[in-house]
Amino acid sequence: MQQVDVIVIGAGAAGMMCAAEAGKRGRSVVVIEHARAPGEKIRISGGGRCNFTNLNAGPANYISENPRFCISALRRFTQHDFITLVDRHGIAWHEKTLGQLFCDGSSQQIIDLLVKEMTRRGAELRLATPVSGIDRDADGFTVALPGGAVRCSSVVVASGGLSIPKMGATGLAYDIARQFGIGIVPTRPALVPLTFDHAMLERLKPLAGVAVDAASVRCGKTRFDEALLFTHRGLSGPAILQISSYWKPGEEVAVSLLPGTDVFGELRAARAANGRQAPHTALAALLPKRLAQAITDREGIAGNIADLSDKRLRQIEGAINDWRIVPAGTEGYRTAEVTAGGIDTNGLDSRTMQARTVPGLFFIGEAVDVTGWLGGFNFQWAWSSGWSAGQAA
Ligand code: FDA
């Protein structure tokens, strides 16, 4: 039976980073991947350009039952460390917005970087290889594979979360956690579009495709100011994806379509300047035309703007800047960029990602209950947690 030091399950962002680091320490490493190519999620990320980190990444950008858990790994391998690695590979990059760094070329460059880093350290990559089971005895682990079992002293579970099942996502990490008695925080789709109920969808369907560049979206005490998009199913766009990670079924989401704009004042000025214009025409100076029309239709407002009292203008302002919705749900794992929840961090050492009760077993990346905001934070968690495990596995 083949014997190695480390088996990494999953050739994604976290697994490949970990394999490279463990290899650097002289550990013999095999990376098991059931897909036919490594880093498939990296390939499709950031619209094909991979938003590989964020200049401002810090613990505040992550959601977890234990918000302090990510601090150690994020400090040990920072966004600047990853940028140094990217620069060493001669990959050109740019900041798009809000500290988000993208490749100038293609996300394949990041995959190539990781494959090079791990293979030049001797790590072996086995593609199209599903893991059928893991056993543990006093001497280590046995990982069952189609070509025969492999023995190792450390297993690093880097098999990701449940998002985008058609790309090969599986619940393997949770199965392994259950097998070894490690807790799991209930999972849910995150960074995912929100959906409307049937009645609301019928009313808002004509708005599909309409975007608002700078909306403000709030759920409880959490607020994001970014773009918003009406879809065939509900709402999407960065502001909605961000808030979706905080939203729980039944909760209300408050939307401001023109945050910081004195809508009442603007409408009064429009009424004084040209009282014969339709209210939606006046609104179209502030919002996309279709949206302006839908808002006045929904509020039952017609005629000339001169006919509207201040109270009616306030009503329009409320509809624009304090729109309250209770989403019917989310689009689910089918389109979610990440899985929130996962391996309970109480069961892991925050410096090494090793299971407290199972020496030699590590969990890293998206499988763990650490979920980043949109904007390169999830890859940074994959690099930081993968690097940390790579120092110890
Ligand atoms: P990841 O899912 O990358 O890797 C897990 C690997 O394990 C996969 O290769 C999988 O095939 C393999 N595997 C699963 N089950 C297995 C089994 N049973 N046996 C063997 N192998 C198995 N983040 C970001 O920071 N910037 C961005 O631009 C984007 N963009 C983006 C776009 C889209 C469309 C999605 C879906 C997601 C993003 N993300 C993102 C999120 C980011 O892709 C995600 O957080 C990381 O890929 C997580 O890295 P992991 O290595 O933990 O899992």
Side-chain angles (χ1 to χ4, degrees):
M1 196 185 295
Q2 187 184 2
Q3 168 88 41
V4 295
D5 294 325
V6 184
I7 290 188
V8 177
I9 304 176
M16 290 196 278
M17 173 57 90
C18 177
E21 288 301 315
K24 254 189 216 173
R25 289 173 39 243
R27 303 283 277 164
S28 55
V29 182
V30 172
V31 182
I32 307 294
E33 168 58 55
H34 72 163
R36 276 197 292 270
E40 280 295 87
K41 273 200 187 154
I42 301 174
R43 191 176 54 76
I44 60 161
S45 68
R49 290 224 160 90
C50 187
N51 177 193
F52 57 80
T53 192
N54 192 296
L55 285 175
N56 309 314
N61 308 111
Y62 294 87
I63 305 162
S64 171
E65 292 279 291
N66 176 3
R68 300 186 57 78
F69 179 81
C70 61
I71 294 176
S72 170
L74 291 174
R75 275 205 193 127
R76 294 184 79 200
F77 188 82
T78 69
Q79 55 272 41
H80 305 292
D81 293 323
F82 194 75
I83 294 165
T84 301
L85 184 59
V86 168
D87 287 343
R88 214 185 313 129
H89 282 256
I91 299 171
W93 52 269
H94 61 280
E95 179 185 351
K96 197 168 169 189
T97 173
L98 302 169
Q100 301 167 6
L101 305 190
F102 288 74
C103 298
D104 287 359
S106 110
S107 41
Q108 187 61 43
Q109 294 173 290
I110 300 292
I111 302 174
D112 294 345
L113 173 160
L114 293 164
V115 171
K116 261 187 221 154
E117 283 290 317
M118 65 175 193
T119 50
R120 85 186 165 103
R121 262 82 189 220
E124 179 197 339
L125 174 59
R126 285 201 202 164
L127 297 171
T129 306
V131 172
S132 38
I134 301 181
D135 277 322
R136 180 170 176 257
D137 56 35
D139 299 326
F141 299 85
T142 306
V143 178
L145 301 172
V150 181
R151 295 272 310 159
C152 61
S153 50
S154 297
V155 170
V156 181
V157 184
S159 53
L162 297 170
S163 48
I164 325 266
K166 79 165 193 256
M167 291 198 68
T170 68
L172 180 69
Y174 317 125
D175 295 340
I176 295 173
R178 272 188 286 270
Q179 178 186 347
F180 289 98
I182 295 159
I184 297 167
V185 172
T187 58
R188 60 180 198 280
L191 298 181
V192 62
L194 297 173
T195 55
F196 293 149
D197 63 27
H198 182 72
M200 189 139 152
L201 204 56
E202 281 307 303
R203 235 181 29 233
L204 295 177
K205 239 185 204 162
L207 291 179
V210 170
V212 176
D213 291 341
S216 176
V217 177
R218 188 171 56 74
C219 182
K221 288 192 179 128
T222 309
R223 193 182 112 179
F224 289 96
D225 294 339
E226 282 187 68
L228 171 151
L229 174 73
F230 288 83
T231 73
H232 291 286
R233 295 192 174 86
L235 292 173
S236 188
I240 293 294
L241 298 181
Q242 298 278 36
I243 212 72
S244 75
S245 301
Y246 289 85
W247 180 78
K248 305 251 167 58
E251 285 180 354
E252 185 179 75
V253 172
V255 177
S256 172
L257 296 168
L258 288 168
T261 300
D262 174 10
V263 176
F264 176 67
E266 294 282 344
L267 290 174
R268 270 177 68 131
R271 187 176 63 186
N274 177 6
R276 293 174 68 179
Q277 64 182 317
H280 65 82
T281 309
L283 266 187
L286 305 171
L287 286 168
K289 224 170 166 179
R290 265 196 286 162
L291 184 54
Q293 179 80 62
I295 290 168
T296 51
D297 288 353
R298 191 183 73 201
E299 298 301 313
I301 285 166
N304 296 333
I305 194 167
D307 302 330
L308 301 185
S309 63
D310 281 0
K311 195 173 158 202
R312 293 288 266 168
L313 297 188
R314 287 270 183 219
Q315 180 190 339
I316 298 174
E317 180 181 54
I320 292 171
N321 273 347
D322 192 21
W323 179 31
R324 306 289 176 117
I325 39 175
V326 179
T330 74
E331 288 190 8
Y333 291 117
R334 190 180 58 83
T335 60
E337 279 199 15
V338 286
T339 303
I343 310 306
D344 189 343
T345 58
N346 284 318
L348 305 179
D349 179 289
S350 64
R351 206 177 142 74
T352 61
M353 308 293 134
Q354 185 165 206
R356 290 185 190 284
T357 51
V358 190
L361 181 63
F362 299 73
F363 292 87
I364 55 174
E366 195 180 320
V368 178
D369 172 36
V370 173
T371 305
W373 289 0
L374 187 77
F377 301 102
N378 283 297
F379 278 136
Q380 186 56 44
W381 171 246
W383 316 137
S384 297
S385 60
W387 186 93
S388 297
Q391 310 311 308

